[in-house]
Amino acid sequence: MKKILSILCLLLLLIPYTALAAEQKYYTIGQLHDLIEEEYPNGWQESIKTKWRTVEINAPVIVPDTDRMPILFLRLKESNEIDVSLLPGDGWESDCGKRIFASRTSDPSKPNFDKMKLESNHYYAPVDMEMRLADFDGKTLRELAQEMMVAVECVNPGETGFDIEHPFDVMVNVATDPKTGKSQECWVDYLAYQTICDIPLFWHMSYYLPYDLSIWKDRIPWIDLSMGMNAYNGMRFGFYPVQTKTIEDDIPLADFSKVQKTLRKEIESGHIRKILEMRLGYASVDVRDDPEGYTGATKPIWHVEAWWCKNGKVKMKEDDPDYPTNDHGKLECVRIAIDAQTGEILSIAGDAAPKQKKIKGIEKYQGYISWGQ
């Protein structure tokens, strides 16, 4: 009888753990991509009622279309040099260190934009890549990006890719002649994430912290692809070649519903008023004293940009009529890093970010959850 009672007690103790295991689901990045494509083809759309207001969620959710998400050690290539003769057209110059940079001179017959009034129009994610620029022969943003990528790929060593389909900022400069009043699109600039294994590498973890870290000279910097061109043959681009070492071939990722639950909690508390975008990818963290000279590692995160208010009761600030802004330019705009393996918030940064305790070592490599675990 005592033996039967012991077994029953053991089974009762196991019930909560069994239920927890059934609740918590893990996916490969390929499975997660397919599930989100199927369930959220137009992004995460939901109305959430709070004590103070109804928050409408209409957020693009970008997950890389790839089969695995490895953990990698990173290092920048030293003393990069490129052969400008490989680049299309004439007039190229390069200025390379750890960063590859090249520029091509414009046709001398172009107008003198320096004497004109310039207006910069920013287009943030999700950028409409089918938008046409009349003064660039009516080409779309996608066509212009592909044209520039021909030059970039001529000198790309190979381990780094570029997510040009989802740039996080496209700036179109419009010049107005003060004498004639005539305006024209004079320059277009793209900022896009570099990719490793087809997965975007956002920024170092310090970008998501509400406080400054002590400087470390070997830290992997904020890496992205910048490229631009004008309608008169001028072009420029810059990026960081990265070398990698695989630490783990693939890792499990938390169910997207876990990430949503974390964000819903902040919405219902009155903090999040709008989600601008969600992307799955890597932050970089520090690696110290690696014998092969790797100084960074990949940390799988959800990069979330949102409007955040510290107090659920307060209204968001109105835009200054003399300085109109965009969704990403509001004072309440913050960037949130969510751990892609646990679904929990790691840190929040921005002018409106809540007060947070410093987490010792958050900027350093601390391992990962494996499939075996």
Side-chain angles (χ1 to χ4, degrees):
M1 186 66 179
K2 286 182 179 179
K3 186 175 181 181
I4 294 171
L5 286 172
S6 298
I7 293 171
L8 286 171
C9 288
L10 180 61
L11 288 172
L12 286 169
L13 285 169
L14 287 173
I15 285 172
Y17 297 99
T18 307
L20 183 63
E23 278 182 21
Q24 184 63 49
K25 295 180 180 178
Y26 290 95
Y27 296 92
T28 66
I29 190 172
Q31 291 170 332
L32 205 56
H33 171 273
D34 293 347
L35 284 167
I36 289 174
E37 283 278 297
E38 182 180 346
E39 294 184 29
Y40 303 97
N42 300 310
W44 176 15
Q45 298 180 344
E46 184 177 349
S47 293
I48 300 177
K49 289 185 178 181
T50 73
K51 290 188 290 185
W52 307 277
R53 64 191 63 82
T54 297
V55 176
E56 300 292 340
I57 301 300
N58 185 15
V61 181
I62 303 172
V63 179
D65 187 4
T66 187
D67 294 328
R68 62 187 184 92
M69 193 170 198
I71 295 295
L72 306 164
F73 274 13
L74 314 169
R75 67 183 177 194
L76 299 182
K77 289 188 67 178
E78 298 286 343
S79 303
N80 292 292
E81 294 182 6
I82 60 172
D83 182 356
V84 293
S85 68
L86 298 174
L87 295 165
D90 301 320
W92 284 97
E93 295 180 353
S94 68
D95 181 13
C96 302
K98 288 185 178 180
R99 184 172 184 257
I100 286 178
F101 180 82
S103 61
R104 186 173 68 187
T105 54
S106 301
D107 188 321
S109 66
K110 78 175 181 66
N112 187 355
F113 296 123
D114 294 337
K115 294 185 177 181
M116 297 185 187
K117 181 182 177 181
L118 291 179
E119 179 184 0
S120 298
N121 299 308
H122 287 267
Y123 301 91
Y124 295 97
V127 177
D128 178 10
M129 296 298 283
E130 290 303 311
M131 186 176 80
R132 295 185 180 276
L133 300 186
D135 296 309
F136 286 78
D137 297 327
K139 293 179 180 177
T140 65
L141 290 180
R142 179 177 287 106
E143 290 170 334
L144 293 172
Q146 290 170 344
E147 190 174 323
M148 285 183 275
M149 284 305 299
V150 171
V152 173
E153 291 296 357
C154 285
V155 293
N156 180 18
E159 278 198 65
T160 299
F162 309 95
D163 188 6
I164 62 165
E165 190 58 33
H166 305 102
F168 59 88
D169 184 2
V170 175
M171 181 178 70
V172 179
N173 283 333
V174 177
T176 302
D177 190 320
K179 295 181 180 179
T180 64
K182 183 181 178 181
S183 298
Q184 68 176 110
E185 298 151 344
C186 62
W187 193 273
V188 58
D189 270 304
Y190 295 72
L191 290 175
Y193 296 114
Q194 293 185 211
T195 63
I196 300 172
C197 298
D198 296 320
I199 298 168
L201 181 61
F202 302 132
W203 291 284
H204 187 269
M205 194 65 208
S206 59
Y207 184 68
Y208 302 94
L209 301 179
Y211 50 85
D212 294 329
L213 296 174
S214 57
I215 295 172
W216 183 49
K217 67 180 181 66
D218 292 322
R219 181 167 288 141
I220 301 291
W222 297 355
I223 291 176
D224 56 45
L225 166 70
S226 62
M227 60 183 187
M229 67 185 301
N230 63 26
Y232 300 89
N233 202 49
M235 190 182 296
R236 62 180 177 232
F237 63 83
F239 65 94
Y240 285 90
V242 179
Q243 294 179 313
T244 67
K245 175 172 69 173
T246 301
I247 304 301
E248 181 73 35
D249 285 332
D250 190 32
I251 55 166
L253 300 171
D255 189 356
F256 183 59
S257 64
K258 185 75 169 65
V259 179
Q260 289 174 302
K261 183 179 179 181
T262 295
L263 292 171
R264 278 197 197 97
K265 181 181 176 182
E266 301 301 338
I267 294 168
E268 290 164 358
S269 298
H271 299 312
I272 291 179
R273 306 296 175 83
K274 184 174 184 177
I275 298 176
L276 304 178
E277 66 164 300
M278 301 177 66
R279 298 184 191 234
L280 178 62
Y282 291 128
S284 62
V285 290
D286 298 341
V287 171
R288 309 289 179 111
D289 303 321
D290 179 76
E292 297 179 58
Y294 288 88
T295 62
T298 56
K299 171 74 176 176
I301 68 164
W302 281 95
H303 167 91
V304 180
E305 294 197 27
W307 292 350
W308 181 286
C309 293
K310 296 178 184 179
N311 189 325
K313 297 178 183 179
V314 303
K315 293 182 179 180
M316 290 186 61
K317 295 180 178 68
E318 296 289 339
D319 288 345
D320 186 333
D322 294 328
Y323 299 96
T325 185
N326 52 63
D327 283 357
H328 292 254
K330 287 186 177 292
L331 291 173
E332 295 90 349
C333 193
V334 299
R335 49 194 177 272
I336 306 172
I338 296 179
D339 191 317
Q341 292 201 283
T342 67
E344 301 296 332
I345 290 176
L346 291 166
S347 190
I348 305 172
D351 291 339
K355 188 175 181 179
Q356 301 156 76
K357 291 182 179 179
K358 289 187 177 182
I359 303 174
K360 188 176 180 180
I362 190 174
E363 80 281 9
K364 297 177 182 177
Y365 174 66
Q366 299 181 22
Y368 54 90
I369 300 171
S370 68
W371 281 107
Q373 290 170 304

